[in-house]
Every structure is written in structure tokens, then in C-alpha cells.
């Protein structure tokens, strides 16, 4: 605490920074970090959800039912959840750079090896291992960014990083459609096998690039001037000082904090809705009358592309007003209503695409808004990395629940409608829980002076 106060006084005494200096410093940081992390997240999400396109050939080729697909898609999150906290706690010791190298190289190799799957058991094991090796990437990046940006800037930065999710849909659809149709039969491999190769190997290459591009913290960034480092560190430390007090707890105290579990449960419902879209959008388009795999890939660009713009606008509004909770709740309510409408409009492709676009925009905006709330609550605490990872690991079990629920419902009834209704109700419950359980006073963010 005293060290933080000393750092803040030193920075404030060093100089008064002009608006141009502040803008220039953060512009330099953003251009250095965010494009690369964004690309990494695009590849991560492609590898995680490429199965949604691969299953259109894979199920027929290997004889997998919708229930087998749903369990295999979701079991990724079991491995991810089990190894999430250990990965982030290790990151505190060895740094973000070494952690991200390990994560990306190993997940890329496992994702590529999915091409060898022949049985449901192999499918489950490979998806589980993919989760194990990707564990820690997302919360690791969230924690990493808290070292570079104060709360008042974090919402828009998180939105830029998390644009990787909808953009992966924009890119993933055409890539998947091309691999499934054009590469099918090349070198004796089926299209779905080529898809895993095409989307898995880039993660390995990016993993080795981490060492050249990222620094663990601002004090080690030689590409910043001394004055810029002072500015960045001073703003982050001022945030920590502002949030120190009730939040200054150890990892053990964090696990005793009821709000950790409120955040985890709310996140569970948000993740369930996100992966209802991520794993089942191609099937939704097929239900809407699109049967050609390349056309499904191209049409999927529309809702994902619109959602990218929606995320930026919603999070920019949240940053401008420094308000998170109601932006999140309204997005959740809109997402739940439109998600539940998808079965009702499936006979009209144009209306289906419109409803999917609104739903995807609202639901995908939940992630940067949620992590703006969580990172602001835990910033400056001894347990920040562990708490963020713990919430993410518990909440990500929603990624298992969502495809399993929808897959089971689709296998038993022939329709995914009831599954989407269940996910919509969960989403509304999660928004209400967060509004009640996390008061605005618990999210203490300061505007930059």
C-alpha cells in the first residue's frame, strides 16, 4: 500500500502530462499489444469453435449423433476449467510472455491433431486436451491488460481484444466453407480434416511470435520512453490505490467472498448463451434453409460482422458513461429475447439473419462488459489473477452445459427450440443476479484527469 502511494506521488511529481502525451503513450501501447492479442484470440476462438463447421461433414463421415457432437464440443470446457487457475497462478511467477508461448504452441498442436479423430472416445479426449492446453489464455490476457490500462480505458480495450470472437466468425465461416468444399479429397484427406490443419497451425506460429512482441509489464517495455513508462505505471497505480481497501484480499479470502460466486454464476449463464451461438449457428442457418456448406460459411459472416460493430458501440457507450451494470443487463435481456425468437422465424432467411445479428451483437457484448466489471472489482488485489481465473474457470462450465443441453434436446426432439428457450431464461437470470449481487458502489473506477 505504501509502495503504491510512493509510486503515485513520484509519477505525479515527475511532470504534468499533456493530453497529447497521454494520447500518444496509450496509442503506442494499444498498437503494440492489441492487434497481436486480437489475432491470437481470433485463432483461439477459431480453434475452439471450428468443430461447429467440421461437424457438418464429420458427423456424417464418422457417424456421430448430435448428442455425441454436443458432449464433445462442450467437454473442451472441462479441461479448460480444471487447469485455468493453476495456469494463471503460474503466470504470476513466470510472466505473461512465457505463459502465452506455452499455451499457444500446445493448443495449436492439439487442434491440428483433431484431424486424426475416428471414434467418439478419441473425439472427447482430444477436445478435453484442447481445453487443458488453452486454459489460462483468456484470463491471462485480461490480467495482463490490467497492468497496462486503468479502469477508465479498459472497457474499450477489452472490446477491441474481444472483437476476436465475432471476427473469428466473420473469417471462420468462409475459411471453413472453403476447406470443407475445396480441400475435400486433397491428399486423401476429407474437408473437415483439412479444416483442423488450416486453423490449428497458425496458433503454433503465433506462439513463437509472443516472445518478440509482448513484455510482461510496462517497466520492461524498452519501446516506451522513460516518461511514457512513468505515465502508464502511474495511471495503473492510481487505479490500484483507488480500489485498495475492501478489495485488498488474499486468494483464500477471495474464495470466501460471495461476490466471486455471484460473478461466476452470472458468467456461467452468459457463456452458455455465447456458445449456443458459437457451436450452433451453422445448424441454425441450415434450419433456415441454407444447405450448401460454403453458403452456410458465407451467410455466417453477416451476424458475426454486425456483432463486431455492435460490441464496439455498446462498450464505447459504457466507457463514456463509466457505467457497466445496466449496459450488461440490457444487452442480456435483448440477447435472450432475440435468441428465443430464432426458432419462430426460421422459415424466413432474411428475418432469421436479422434476429441472429441482433442476438449475437447483444450476447457477444456481454464479455467485455462483464470483464470490465470483474477486473475493476479485483484490480490492485493480491489475488487478482487467481480470482479472475477462478471466475472464468467456474463460469466456463457454461460452455459445457450449452452444447450438451441443445445437443440432447435436438437428438431427442429433432429440434433445438426448447434448448434455446432454456438458454434464454438462464441469460435473463444471470443479468438479474449480477444487478442484485454486484452494486454499483462495488465497481470503483475513476475518470482520468
Amino acid at each position: 500500500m505504501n509502495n503504491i502511494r510512493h509510486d503515485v506521488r513520484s509519477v505525479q511529481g515527475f511532470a504534468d502530462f499533456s493530453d497529447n502525451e497521454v494520447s500518444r503513450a496509450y496509442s503506442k501501447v494499444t498498437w503494440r499489444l492489441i492487434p497481436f492479442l486480437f489475432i491470437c484470440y481470433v485463432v483461439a476462438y477459431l480453434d475452439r469453435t471450428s468443430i461447429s463447421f467440421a461437424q457438418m461433414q464429420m458427423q456424417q463421415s464418422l457417424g456421430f449423433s448430435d448428442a455425441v457432437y454436443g458432449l464433445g464440443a462442450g467437454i473442451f470446457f472441462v479441461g479448460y476449467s480444471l487447469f485455468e487457475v493453476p495456469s494463471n497462478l503460474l503466470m504470476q511467477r513466470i510472466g505473461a510472455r512465457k505463459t502465452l508461448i506455452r499455451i499457444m504452441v500446445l493448443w495449436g498442436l492439439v487442434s491440428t491433431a483433431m484431424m486424426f479423430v475416428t471414434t467418439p472416445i478419441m473425439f472427447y479426449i482430444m477436445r478435453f486436451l484442447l481445453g487443458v492446453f488453452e486454459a489460462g489464455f483468456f484470463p491471462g490476457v485480461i490480467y495482463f491488460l490490467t497492468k497496462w490500462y486503468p479502469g477508465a480505458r479498459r472497457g474499450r480495450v477489452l472490446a477491441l481484444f474481444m472483437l476476436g470472437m465475432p471476427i473469428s466468425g466473420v473469417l471462420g465461416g468462409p475459411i471453413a466453407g472453403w476447406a470443407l468444399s475445396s480441400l475435400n479429397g486433397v491428399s486423401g484427406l476429407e474437408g473437415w480434416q483439412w479444416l483442423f490443419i488450416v486453423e490449428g497451425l497458425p496458433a503454433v506460429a503465433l506462439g513463437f511470435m509472443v516472445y518478440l512482441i509482448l513484455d510482461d509489464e510496462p517497466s520492461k517495455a524498452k519501446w516506451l520512453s522513460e516518461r511514457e513508462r512513468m505515465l502508464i505505471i502511474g495511471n495503473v497505480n492510481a487505479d490500484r490505490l483507488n480500489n485498495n481497501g475492501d478489495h485488498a484480499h488474499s486468494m483464500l479470502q477471495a474464495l470466501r467472498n460471495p461476490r466471486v460466486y455471484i460473478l461466476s454464476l452470472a458468467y456461467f449463464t452468459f457463456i452458455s448463451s455465447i456458445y449456443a451461438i458459437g457451436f450452433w449457428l451453422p445448424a441454425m442457418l441450415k434450419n433456415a434453409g441454407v444447405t450448401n456448406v460454403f453458403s452456410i460459411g458465407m451467410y455466417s459472416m453477416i451476424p458475426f460482422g454486425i456483432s463486431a460493430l455492435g460490441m464496439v458501440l455498446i462498450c464505447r457507450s459504457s466507457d463514456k458513461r463509466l457505467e457497466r451494470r445496466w449496459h450488461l443487463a440490457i444487452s442480456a435481456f435483448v440477447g435472450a429475447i432475440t435468441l428465443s425468437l430464432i426458432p419462430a422465424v426460421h422459415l424466413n432467411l432474411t428475418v432469421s439473419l436479422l434476429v441472429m445479428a441482433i442476438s449475437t451483437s447483444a450476447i457477444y457484448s456481454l464479455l467485455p462488459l462483464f470483464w470490465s466489471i470483474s477486473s475493476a472489482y479485483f484490480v490492485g488485489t493480491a489475488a487478482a489473477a487467481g480470482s479472475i481465473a477462478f471466475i472464468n474457470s467456474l463460469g466456463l462450465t457454461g460452455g459445457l452445459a450449452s452444447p450438451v443441453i441443445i445437443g440432447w434436446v435436438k437428438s431427442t426432439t429433432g429440434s433445438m427450440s426448447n434448448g434455446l428457450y432454456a438458454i434464454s431464461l438462464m441469460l435473463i437470470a444471470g443479468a438479474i443476479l449480477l444487478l442484485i449481487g454486484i452494486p454499483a458502489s462495488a465497481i470503483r473506477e475513476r475518470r482520468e484527469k
Side-chain angles (χ1 to χ4, degrees):
M1 178 75 167
N2 290 334
N3 288 337
I4 292 175
R5 284 204 180 98
H6 175 73
D7 288 343
V8 174
R9 281 200 302 269
S10 297
V11 173
Q12 290 174 339
F14 178 78
D16 289 325
F17 298 98
S18 69
D19 290 344
N20 284 339
E21 283 183 294
V22 174
S23 296
R24 198 159 49 243
Y26 279 109
S27 177
K28 187 183 290 188
V29 170
T30 298
W31 279 106
R32 175 82 178 201
L33 303 182
I34 301 305
F36 179 72
L37 292 173
F38 164 81
I39 293 170
C40 291
Y41 194 41
V42 168
V43 173
Y45 204 75
L46 281 174
D47 288 344
R48 189 182 301 184
T49 60
S50 59
I51 192 67
S52 66
F53 288 98
Q55 60 102 6
M56 291 188 291
Q57 284 184 356
M58 196 178 183
Q59 281 187 258
Q60 184 176 1
S61 176
L62 302 180
F64 291 175
S65 68
D66 287 321
V68 168
Y69 164 68
L71 179 57
I75 207 168
F76 164 92
F77 297 98
V78 176
Y80 198 112
S81 297
L82 289 175
F83 287 85
E84 182 91 310
V85 173
S87 178
N88 256 41
L89 293 178
L90 178 63
M91 185 184 71
Q92 287 185 296
R93 292 190 174 187
I94 68 174
R97 186 159 61 174
K98 291 180 180 178
T99 298
L100 291 177
I101 291 172
R102 167 184 59 81
I103 288 172
M104 297 188 68
V105 170
L106 290 177
W107 108 47
L109 292 174
V110 172
S111 180
T112 305
M114 282 286 295
M115 64 179 287
F116 299 113
V117 166
T118 57
T119 67
I121 296 298
M122 289 180 66
F123 181 42
Y124 300 151
I125 291 173
M126 294 303 292
R127 288 290 295 178
F128 176 82
L129 289 176
L130 184 62
V132 169
F133 291 127
E134 194 182 321
F137 172 76
F138 181 81
V141 171
I142 299 299
Y143 177 67
F144 172 72
L145 292 176
T146 65
K147 291 179 171 289
W148 295 83
Y149 294 95
R153 290 180 178 268
R154 210 171 294 135
R156 75 198 76 168
V157 169
L158 289 176
L160 290 172
F161 165 61
M162 292 179 197
L163 275 176
M165 184 181 294
I167 294 300
S168 73
V170 174
L171 299 177
I175 291 172
W178 167 75
L180 293 174
S181 59
S182 299
L183 297 181
N184 193 33
V186 175
S187 299
L189 299 177
E190 295 187 42
W192 65 268
Q193 293 174 302
W194 276 111
L195 178 58
F196 289 125
I197 296 172
V198 168
E199 294 189 349
L201 290 180
V204 179
L206 287 168
F208 289 113
M209 291 175 63
V210 166
Y211 188 82
L212 301 174
I213 295 175
L214 299 186
D215 294 284
D216 288 324
E217 55 190 41
S219 62
K220 298 179 180 180
K222 294 181 180 179
W223 42 273
L224 289 174
S225 69
E226 181 181 355
R227 187 175 174 86
E228 288 168 336
R229 286 195 293 270
M230 293 282 280
L231 188 158
I232 301 297
I233 294 170
N235 266 332
V236 170
N237 283 341
D239 246 24
R240 290 176 179 173
L241 180 61
N242 185 59
N243 281 275
N244 212 300
D246 293 341
H247 298 184
H249 42 235
S250 67
M251 184 64 191
L252 183 60
Q253 288 171 315
L255 297 182
R256 294 173 181 168
N257 184 344
R259 285 178 179 161
V260 169
Y261 299 96
I262 289 171
L263 288 166
S264 298
L265 186 55
Y267 191 51
F268 172 90
T269 68
F270 303 154
I271 288 294
S272 294
S273 64
I274 284 169
Y275 285 103
I277 292 172
F279 286 133
W280 292 100
L281 183 66
M284 295 176 193
L285 288 169
K286 192 173 182 179
N287 287 342
V290 186
T291 55
N292 180 273
V293 290
F294 183 76
S295 297
I296 288 175
M298 297 304 292
Y299 275 118
S300 70
M301 294 176 65
I302 297 173
F304 286 122
I306 293 174
S307 71
L309 177 61
M311 276 181 66
V312 171
L313 294 177
I314 292 170
C315 292
R316 182 175 292 177
S317 171
S318 175
D319 270 357
K320 182 179 179 180
R321 293 165 176 79
L322 214 61
E323 196 289 317
R324 313 295 184 189
R325 294 161 66 253
W326 281 104
H327 277 78
L328 183 147
I330 292 171
S331 295
F333 296 151
V334 171
I337 292 169
T338 49
L339 188 65
S340 65
L341 285 176
I342 289 174
V345 300
H346 76 279
L347 294 177
N348 187 312
L349 179 59
T350 302
V351 177
S352 292
L353 287 170
L354 177 61
V355 172
M356 288 177 193
I358 296 172
S359 183
T360 305
S361 297
I363 289 173
Y364 276 21
S365 296
L366 297 175
L367 242 64
L369 293 170
F370 176 85
W371 286 112
S372 292
I373 291 171
S374 298
S375 59
Y377 181 73
F378 288 108
V379 69
T381 71
S387 299
I388 289 171
F390 183 73
I391 290 169
N392 197 50
S393 64
L394 286 184
L396 271 179
T397 55
L400 170 62
S402 177
V404 169
I405 289 171
I406 296 176
W408 177 78
V409 168
K410 193 169 185 289
S411 287
T412 55
T413 68
S415 170
M416 64 175 68
S417 300
N418 289 333
L420 293 178
Y421 299 151
I423 300 299
S424 297
L425 290 174
M426 289 167 56
L427 184 52
I428 291 172
I432 294 172
L433 176 65
L434 189 139
L435 282 175
I436 295 173
I438 310 294
S441 59
I443 310 166
R444 295 181 289 183
E445 294 179 305
R446 60 184 262 283
R447 294 191 182 277
E448 286 184 317
K449 296 181 180 180

